Structures are given as structure tokens and as C-alpha cells.
Amino acid sequence: MPSAQSAAERISTLRSEIENHNYRYYVLDEPSIPDAEYDRLFQELKALEAEHPELVSPDSPTQRVGGAALAAFGQVRHELPMLSLGNAFEEQQLLDFDRRVREGLDLPGGDLFDAGIAVDYSCEPKLDGLAVSLLYEEGVLARGATRGDGTTGEDITANVRTIRNIPLKLQGKGWPRVLEVRGEIYMPKAGFEALNARQLEAGGKTFANPRNAAAGSLRQLDPRITAARPLELCVYGVGRFEGELPETHVAVLHALKSWGLPISRELRTATGVAECLDYYRDIGTRRDALPYEIDGVVFKVDALASQRALGFRAREPRWAIAFKFPAREELTELLGVEFQVGRTGALTPVARLKPVQVAGVTVANATLHNMDEVARLGVMIGDTVIVRRAGDVIPQILGVVAERRPPGAQPVHIPETCPVCGSRVERTQLLRRSKGRQTLSEGAIYRCVGRLFCRAQLKQAIIHFVSRRAMDIEGLGDKIVDQLVEAGLVSSPADLYCLTFEQVRALEGFGDVSAGNLIAAIEASRRPSLARFIYALGIPDVGEETAKLLAKALGSLARLQVALPEVLTYLPDVGAEVAHEIHEFFSDAHNRSVIEQLQARILIEEEGALHPDYAAIATLADLIDKLHIPYVARTGAQRLADRFGSLAAIIDADWLDLRQVERLNERAAQSVREFFADSQNAARARELEAQLHEFGMHWQSERRVAQGLPLSGQSWVLTGTLESMPRDDAKARLEALGAKVAGSVSAKTTAVVAGPGAGSKLAKAQSLGVQLLDEAQFLARLAEWESASRE
Ligand code: IVH
């Protein structure tokens, strides 16, 4: 162990190294070391501080979350009030602002084309978050406060300390002894989406927009909650200071940046109002692509002497203005809800709205997604709703203004029959598993059972079937599909291959050439690859990637058609739900007959053989696990496998044999006996085993898979802090189980363990849909695998 003296030196070196890396990462956006190296430094510092608690100081990078939850926020008085900005909504209002500025500064007039003596303005995006004040004393973050009413705010020091891009200590030299900076705390769009997804999964409340999410996250009495939220700071000005600062606003911001404070990457200077307008238009075109929400841009007279000369009017500076973008959220009335029938028969509730202008476009419809969303919003017909439209995205309903609900508001009901074909509407079932038991529960999706008899489904199915990534029939657009279906020429995708030149020629809008082209395009699609064909079938939840995987792994349509759902779940990325959908699809007699017709008319290019990568991937324990025997979870399955070595032996086992399985409790043993006493279960288990063999997916009776250990071939990523063990230990334990522990997240990553403070890797994992585990889940799994792989 290093002596206290050298530990102190090492701690100080580590802290400044880490601070420097934070600065490069968060402020300059130019990290110089890989995340894994950063994590290593951080862990080393944490370990040293744990050994020498007397050396821990509040400005250490490890001390972002400390202390307990508060009972209430303290109050902070702003010595210099935090002001608001005047707004411009139209160009003319910006020109008027510029004219007032020049008059105020006694500069000769001009116009858009001749600026006269032009004023230099700083240009910044107007971030949509919360204004905060951060006070640095002797370069150390001493206090964080909300704007409040501008004069008095709330003390949120503990919360701002958890925000990763807020330096706890200033970098470099030359900062004023006392420096109060002001800026916006916001939640980037990606973090917002991920947070809402997590909240939804946990059954918690979701946020209507990133601004609300940022506000809700910052005003938490427990800083640990704030720490887990993806907040960021952008500094846009200075409040009180004691010391020297440069003489223009832009130079001040650059100085702040050099001291480690994050400023906007979009900061520019404009000479004259015409350049301000250019900036506004440029940012406007990029608004959707920016990683955060903005509601306008802010122009400020750049010279601080001019700012002082202009002064304030009421609570707004005369030297700055916000030029707002058109609002993306508006209020309107929900007139009714209609149900649209999609390709898989799913009924989507669509809101019919009293037409309203949102961000320059008239909106009369918005999607309500599904009935769970209707329930979540608690929306009723007649309600005043908040509609949002961003970019090309379909308008959405964000919420209801409860106070404005009229007396006669009507609940939204799902129809009992399909609005297009009159068939029965069924609620979909979801597969869930708990205590080793698989159950069906009610899903949020309702489906018309009419399949291809339903014209809505038929049209969508054909549109999908002919699309570019599916059968790729060129020139067969939505309108023609509509014509073919309405004319009764096509009642399944297979009918496309029976169309004649004369039939097409007779349709409205077709001539000899166009009819010939369409027939030729259909002809050209007669030899699809198996992957294209599977994708073209439009099996619910089977996208292009899954279709490719199924084609590659199974090699033939025949195999896919008979595959048991449990066997499908052996394939990577095929979960129980997808397997269930595939199985259902091929169990349907009508689907089978359409496929038969198709097979008679086209030639599917198949590999035929099972891909070797997917052979020999099963273990007996997996197989038992997939039977979903009540009270027998993964570890129980492993114990049974270890003891009996074959499925037949387990099926035939009597009570005494079962009670002798080490560490298998009585309830599980009883359950195994009851399960196999049911001859259907036993037959199903045998069928499953037989199919695995037939497909070449042989399981081994050995305790470990042929390639080695339980996690062989898996790639794991650890991010954030682990409370229960040093990261190196977690890494070593995963490696002992056969996993690789990688420093960065990719689509190949098996799982990510995310502790508090996880940042970009967590976001990346979420965006890639990689499995995420928190520390408790991770520990539970680790224990399971370790006990499974022990003698
Ligand atoms: S300057 C006296 N710059 O807009 C000048 N404000 O309506 C005070 N805001 O409370 C603000 N981005 O929360 C300024 N680049 C920016 C801004 C910005 C967002 C917010 C801020 C302020 C509100 C004023």
C-alpha cells in the first residue's frame, strides 16, 4: 500500500488527469483516451480514496453524488437578478430590435441591404431547458441555484454536482476569484427518449417533453435521482464576478470554455442584422437534427460596453432578443377517434382533431399508437389536447388539459368488429414469464382477425410484399395495389403471379407499355432469396434482419414452417415473442395455403443446409429451461441437467430420484414430477428434443457447452460505478465465465451493466437495443451462472 504521502500525490495526479479528460470529453468534444482507460483512472482514484478517507475532498471527481436526500430546497437570493428576454416571432420584430439598438448607440441608420454602421451580435441557440446560476469561488463550484422568480431561486447545489459536464473545479488560470455563470440545463433528445422508455418499463410516469423531463429531474430532493438522469449544461453568460473578464460577450464565453465550462457549439458572431437572419434560417433548417430541443435563437449585442450603454427596460435587456421558431406544440380539440387497420391487422387509434396550425402546418390527425397510450393519456373525445409536430414525424398527442374537459366528454372504446371488413377484433396476448412459468397476458394491441380477407390488411400486405427490400417488384405502387384489390384481381400475394397483360391493360391509367412493364417486373421477382421471401411474408415482428437470420440459420422454408417456438429461441436475437408470432403465422391454415400457392408459382433460392454457426448451440439445461416448468428457473434446469444427463432420464425420474438432485427444492421437484406426469408435456418435450436433433442443433449432456463456459462467445460492457465490487473484480468474474469484457458498446455487445453515472455507453446501448442490467440484476445473474458452472 502506498504511504499517505505518496497516496496524496497519486490522488492529486489522478484528479487533475480525470478533470482534464472530463474537459476534453465534455467541453472540447475531443477525448484523448478510450473510455476504458478513463474508467480505470476513475476506479483507481475511488479505491485510493476509500483507503484514505481523510484525503477525500468535495471537489474530487468521485464526489458528485454525496449526502442524503433533502427535506426541502433552501432559498438563494440572486444578487444580480436573472432576467428574461424579449421575443421576436417575425423578421420585422428583429429589424425593429436592431434599429432600437443602433438608435440607442447613436449609430447611423441603415436597412437590410445597407447596414449603415452594423452592430456585432453574438448568435446562440435558445435551448429549451431550465435557467441556472452556478457560483464558483476560488475556482470551486460553491453553489447552484434555479432562476426562481428571477430574484430568489432554489438551492440545487447537490443536484447540479451530479451533472457530468458541470466542472466541480475550474480549469486553467485567470478565472475571477468569484464567478457566477448562468446557463441552461437541458436533457438531450436521445437521453429523453431513453429515460421515457425506462420509465414506461418500470411503470413510472413519462415526461411530455425534454423540458419537463429536465425540470422534473433537477427539482429532485434526492440527488441520486438527478444523478441517474441524462442532464447537461450549456453556459450562456456571466452574473456576478470579482476579477477580470474580456470585453465582448463571445470572448467571455470562450474564456469560460477555456476554464472548463461547456458553451454552445453553435456560437457565432454576426455583423449586422442580415447575418443574424442567415443564422436563424440556418439553425432552423438544422433544428430537427440537433441533439437537443431549441425553441429559437438568441442575439446579443457583442460589445459589453454597448450592453452597458443600452441597459434594461423593465426585466428585459435592451441588448438581447430571442427570435423564436414557430411553436411545435399547440392546443386543439379531439373531435373523435377512428381506427386504422394495418398490415398485421393491428388497429391503430387515430385522433381526429379540430384543425390547428402547428409549426406552420395544419394538423387534423394525430396517432394515438395503441389503447395503452389512450389509457396512459386518459384522453376522452371532446378533450382539449396538446398536439406536437416535429419535423416529418407524425403529429402526436402529448397530453390532456384536464381543467378544460367538457361535461359531455366520451371515453374512447375499441370497436368490437373491424371497421373495414367487419371481422371480430381480438386483443393480442403477450407472453410473460415469471417463476419459471410462462403465461399469456393481455397486450395493448387489438387485431382484426380477418387476415387477407380484410381489404385493409390485404392491401397493406401486398404493399409490403412487393416493396423494395421484400420481393422488389418495381412500379407496383400503393395506388396500383388499391386498383388491383378493388377490381378483385388480387386477393392474396400469390395472385400477383397470375395477373395477365390484358387484366392490367384494362385498369384505368394503364397503356400497353406500362402494363407490359408491370408484368415484366412481376416476372423478374420470381426467384427471391429465402431471406427476402421470409421478410415479404410480413410475419408480425419479423423485420429484414430477423428474416435474414432465420434464412441463414435454418436454410430452408420447410424448416422454418415446422420450427417449434422453443427451437427458434435458440437463435440469437429471437425472443419468445417473435418465436410465438412466427409459429402462429405458420400455424394459420390460410397463410399456409397462400404460401403453398406461392411456392407453386415462384422459386425460392434456399441454401438448404442448416448453418454450422447455429448447430451445436443447445445445452440440456437450456432445453429444460425452455420447457417453462413452473418453479424451475435457469439454475434449477442446470441442476437437473447435471444430475440426469438426458431428457429421457428426467421424464422417467421418480420422486426419489428428483429429491436427490442437489439443491433442488421440494417445490421444484414436485413441479417437475407433475409436469412430466402430464403426457402432453412429456410428448412436447420429446418433440422439442427430436426437432433440435433433426435441425442439427445437438445439445450436450456435459455441464459446459462445447465451446467452453456459460458465457462463451459473449461480449459484455461495464459502465458507471458498481457499488458492490471494484470493476476489475466484476470483469474478472465475467471473464472466468467465458465472456469478453469490452470497452465500448456495439451491436455485437451481449449486455451492458450500467451503474449510477453511466453516460454515453448507456445511451448507445439503449439506442442499439442492447440488453441492460443494473447492478442488482447483474449480481443475481452472476451468482446464478457461477453456481451453475461450479461442480
Ligand atoms: S440569455 C439577460 N441565452 O431563455 C439575458 N438565455 O427568455 C438572459 N435561454 O431564462 C438570458 N438559451 O433560460 C440566454 N443562449 C441563451 C439562452 C437563454 C436559453 C433561456 C434562459 C432564459 C430564457 C429567457
Side-chain angles (χ1 to χ4, degrees):
M1 199 205 285
S3 71
Q5 173 55 35
S6 66
E9 278 170 14
R10 182 68 189 146
I11 283 177
S12 142
T13 316
L14 282 168
R15 283 181 190 161
S16 51
E17 259 193 66
I18 290 170
E19 277 153 12
N20 183 43
H21 291 306
N22 279 345
Y23 173 62
R24 298 190 64 103
Y25 187 92
Y26 291 113
V27 181
L28 300 183
D29 216 0
E30 282 167 2
S32 58
I33 53 167
D35 290 4
E37 179 60 14
Y38 176 88
D39 293 345
R40 206 188 55 72
L41 295 173
F42 200 90
Q43 289 310 321
E44 187 186 341
L45 177 59
K46 255 186 105 163
L48 272 177
E49 287 181 344
E51 272 172 43
H52 302 276
E54 73 285 0
L55 296 176
V56 177
S57 71
D59 61 353
S60 169
T62 60
Q63 300 302 302
R64 286 194 176 263
V65 191
L70 302 172
F73 293 113
Q75 289 202 338
V76 171
R77 229 188 125 69
H78 302 299
E79 281 184 38
L80 285 177
M82 290 181 76
L83 303 171
S84 55
L85 289 170
N87 290 321
F89 298 95
E90 283 159 24
E91 212 172 291
Q92 188 56 51
Q93 292 170 309
L94 186 67
L95 298 180
D96 292 345
F97 163 77
D98 176 57
R99 184 181 37 77
R100 288 195 304 270
V101 165
R102 278 183 294 124
E103 282 168 8
L105 297 173
D106 276 335
L107 297 173
D111 56 34
L112 248 188
F113 306 101
D114 172 9
I117 291 185
V119 176
D120 280 345
Y121 292 102
S122 74
C123 312
E124 301 160 45
K126 186 169 189 296
L127 290 161
D128 207 5
L130 268 92
V132 290
S133 143
L134 301 175
L135 181 67
Y136 287 87
E137 287 172 347
E138 306 291 355
V140 175
L141 176 63
R143 194 198 66 198
T146 61
R147 174 173 183 271
D149 62 5
T151 315
T152 314
E154 284 174 328
D155 186 330
I156 50 163
T157 311
N159 289 346
V160 296
R161 291 176 61 88
T162 69
I163 297 172
R164 296 282 146 164
N165 77 341
I166 297 184
L168 300 178
K169 249 168 90 176
L170 295 179
Q171 296 266 316
K173 288 192 277 293
W175 27 261
R177 203 182 61 72
V178 174
L179 176 65
E180 182 205 352
V181 295
R182 290 171 178 185
E184 199 82 350
I185 287 183
Y186 62 97
M187 191 176 288
K189 291 175 190 168
F192 164 73
E193 299 293 342
L195 171 64
N196 262 359
R198 265 186 282 151
Q199 295 282 106
L200 208 58
E201 197 154 298
K205 92 172 185 30
T206 55
F207 296 97
N209 54 42
R211 208 200 94 82
N212 290 3
S217 302
L218 203 55
R219 296 200 66 264
Q220 288 284 345
L221 290 166
D222 185 348
R224 278 166 301 189
I225 300 181
T226 311
R229 302 282 173 82
L231 296 172
E232 286 180 19
L233 169 75
C234 176
V235 170
Y236 54 64
V238 167
R240 195 163 72 86
F241 68 97
E242 287 171 24
E244 294 288 311
L245 281 176
E247 262 310 302
T248 66
H249 176 66
V250 171
V252 168
L253 292 185
H254 279 122
L256 297 181
K257 178 176 175 180
S258 75
W259 297 328
L261 290 157
I263 63 169
S264 174
R265 294 160 60 108
E266 304 292 340
L267 173 68
R268 304 280 183 281
T269 20
T271 302
V273 72
E275 288 186 16
C276 289
L277 281 170
D278 290 343
Y279 180 83
Y280 173 80
R281 292 191 197 109
D282 172 56
I283 296 271
T285 61
R286 295 191 289 119
R287 184 181 182 191
D288 289 326
L290 292 175
Y292 40 76
E293 291 284 356
I294 58 173
D295 55 356
V297 295
V298 182
F299 300 119
K300 297 169 190 163
V301 172
D302 195 30
L304 299 182
S306 304
Q307 287 190 4
R308 286 188 289 270
L310 287 161
F312 298 87
R313 186 186 150 266
R315 305 189 57 77
E316 290 168 9
R318 285 204 182 87
W319 41 265
I321 192 161
F323 192 7
K324 301 287 269 285
F325 289 126
R328 301 183 130 171
E329 290 172 20
E330 293 291 347
L331 293 182
T332 189
E333 192 188 323
L334 178 65
L335 301 176
V337 173
E338 284 173 18
F339 288 85
Q340 267 174 7
V341 184
R343 170 164 62 82
T344 59
L347 264 59
T348 305
V350 177
R352 300 288 174 230
L353 303 167
K354 188 167 164 193
V356 60
Q357 286 278 116
V358 190
V361 168
T362 307
V363 173
N365 305 311
T367 176
L368 282 163
H369 302 290
N370 57 47
M371 292 307 283
D372 273 6
E373 176 76 355
V374 171
R376 190 181 71 77
L377 292 167
V379 66
M380 291 172 84
I381 296 162
D383 269 339
T384 296
V385 293
I386 308 164
V387 192
R388 176 183 171 80
R389 191 190 77 89
D392 295 333
V393 186
I394 306 166
Q396 299 213 313
I397 293 188
L398 296 184
V400 172
V401 185
E403 311 81 64
R404 295 209 198 159
R405 172 162 294 166
Q410 293 293 315
V412 179
H413 289 302
I414 192 90
E416 282 169 14
T417 57
C418 169
V420 177
C421 72
S423 298
R424 204 159 33 84
V425 167
E426 259 180 10
R427 188 168 191 173
T428 51
Q429 308 282 300
L430 286 181
L431 279 172
R432 289 208 195 287
R433 210 182 154 189
S434 72
K435 291 207 180 110
R437 204 193 309 236
Q438 189 159 293
T439 53
L440 286 173
S441 69
E442 308 249 86
I445 314 264
Y446 289 78
R447 275 191 195 152
C448 156
V449 300
R451 306 253 175 164
L452 297 184
F453 298 109
C454 174
R455 262 180 303 134
Q457 288 182 65
L458 174 62
K459 285 179 192 172
Q460 293 300 319
I462 293 179
I463 290 170
H464 174 76
F465 185 80
V466 305
S467 62
R468 199 168 52 80
R469 294 165 192 275
M471 301 295 280
D472 193 19
I473 305 184
E474 217 178 301
L476 222 177
D478 299 8
K479 208 181 131 250
I480 302 173
V481 171
D482 219 73
Q483 282 178 292
L484 293 170
V485 170
E486 294 301 332
L489 292 174
V490 168
S491 50
S492 89
D495 291 346
L496 289 171
Y497 294 97
C498 297
L499 283 174
T500 64
F501 173 82
E502 289 71 27
Q503 286 173 325
V504 176
R505 175 71 184 80
L507 293 172
E508 202 190 304
F510 275 91
D512 286 346
V513 175
S514 51
N517 286 346
L518 182 56
I519 295 292
I522 294 174
E523 215 44 47
S525 73
R526 279 193 204 251
R527 292 189 69 151
S529 67
L530 178 58
R532 273 183 184 273
F533 182 77
I534 295 172
Y535 174 62
L537 290 175
I539 306 166
D541 287 349
V542 176
E544 213 185 348
E545 289 310 313
T546 308
K548 281 184 189 158
L549 167 80
L550 291 169
K552 182 173 163 202
L554 299 178
S556 83
L557 184 63
R559 229 177 252 128
L560 178 63
Q561 278 179 292
V562 299
L564 296 167
E566 294 87 346
V567 170
L568 292 172
T569 60
Y570 275 105
L571 302 176
D573 299 331
V574 177
E577 300 263 347
V578 180
H580 177 73
E581 291 287 1
I582 297 172
H583 186 70
E584 287 277 293
F585 186 88
F586 289 110
S587 304
D588 180 83
H590 179 65
N591 288 340
R592 279 210 303 268
S593 93
V594 172
I595 292 169
E596 229 170 82
Q597 289 171 8
L598 278 165
Q599 281 178 307
R601 294 168 197 171
I602 65 177
L603 184 70
I604 303 164
E605 307 259 11
E606 305 178 312
E607 291 289 326
L610 193 105
H611 195 279
D613 279 4
Y614 302 104
I617 54 173
T619 65
L620 178 56
D622 281 337
L623 178 65
I624 300 165
D625 190 38
K626 288 193 194 295
L627 296 173
H628 303 311
I629 306 170
Y631 303 107
V632 178
R634 190 68 180 78
T635 33
Q638 187 68 53
R639 283 165 196 157
L640 286 164
D642 289 352
R643 167 83 191 176
F644 292 102
S646 85
L647 186 65
I650 301 174
I651 295 176
D652 296 335
D654 64 19
W655 177 239
L656 258 174
D657 296 333
L658 286 166
R659 282 308 287 142
Q660 278 171 13
V661 180
E662 228 179 297
R663 285 180 298 152
L664 185 76
N665 65 40
E666 190 173 334
R667 171 147 4 111
Q670 178 73 25
S671 177
V672 173
R673 203 169 61 141
E674 279 166 18
F675 186 84
F676 290 116
D678 181 334
S679 60
Q680 275 188 354
N681 285 340
R684 175 124 187 119
R686 291 203 163 99
E687 192 189 355
L688 188 56
E689 184 183 36
Q691 185 166 84
L692 283 171
H693 274 273
E694 190 190 318
F695 282 16
M697 297 158 86
H698 302 288
W699 50 261
Q700 290 93 39
S701 54
E702 298 93 88
R703 220 152 280 142
R704 287 167 184 182
V705 197
Q707 294 115 318
L709 301 159
L711 307 187
S712 287
Q714 300 196 356
S715 168
W716 284 66
V717 173
L718 302 165
T719 181
T721 22
L722 291 182
E723 246 110 61
S724 60
M725 66 178 104
R727 192 182 287 209
D728 277 344
D729 290 6
K731 184 165 179 252
R733 285 169 71 178
L734 279 168
E735 285 169 348
L737 289 162
K740 266 196 341 225
V741 178
S744 63
V745 178
S746 77
K748 295 221 169 65
T749 307
T750 314
V752 172
V753 180
S760 61
K761 288 184 210 172
L762 172 61
K764 177 128 189 236
Q766 279 162 337
S767 73
L768 291 171
V770 170
Q771 182 187 17
L772 282 172
L773 300 177
D774 64 22
E775 185 162 1
Q777 293 166 325
F778 172 59
L779 291 176
R781 299 274 189 95
L782 207 55
E784 254 184 62
W785 287 315
E786 285 172 345
S787 77
S789 69
R790 262 195 296 274
E791 273 302 319

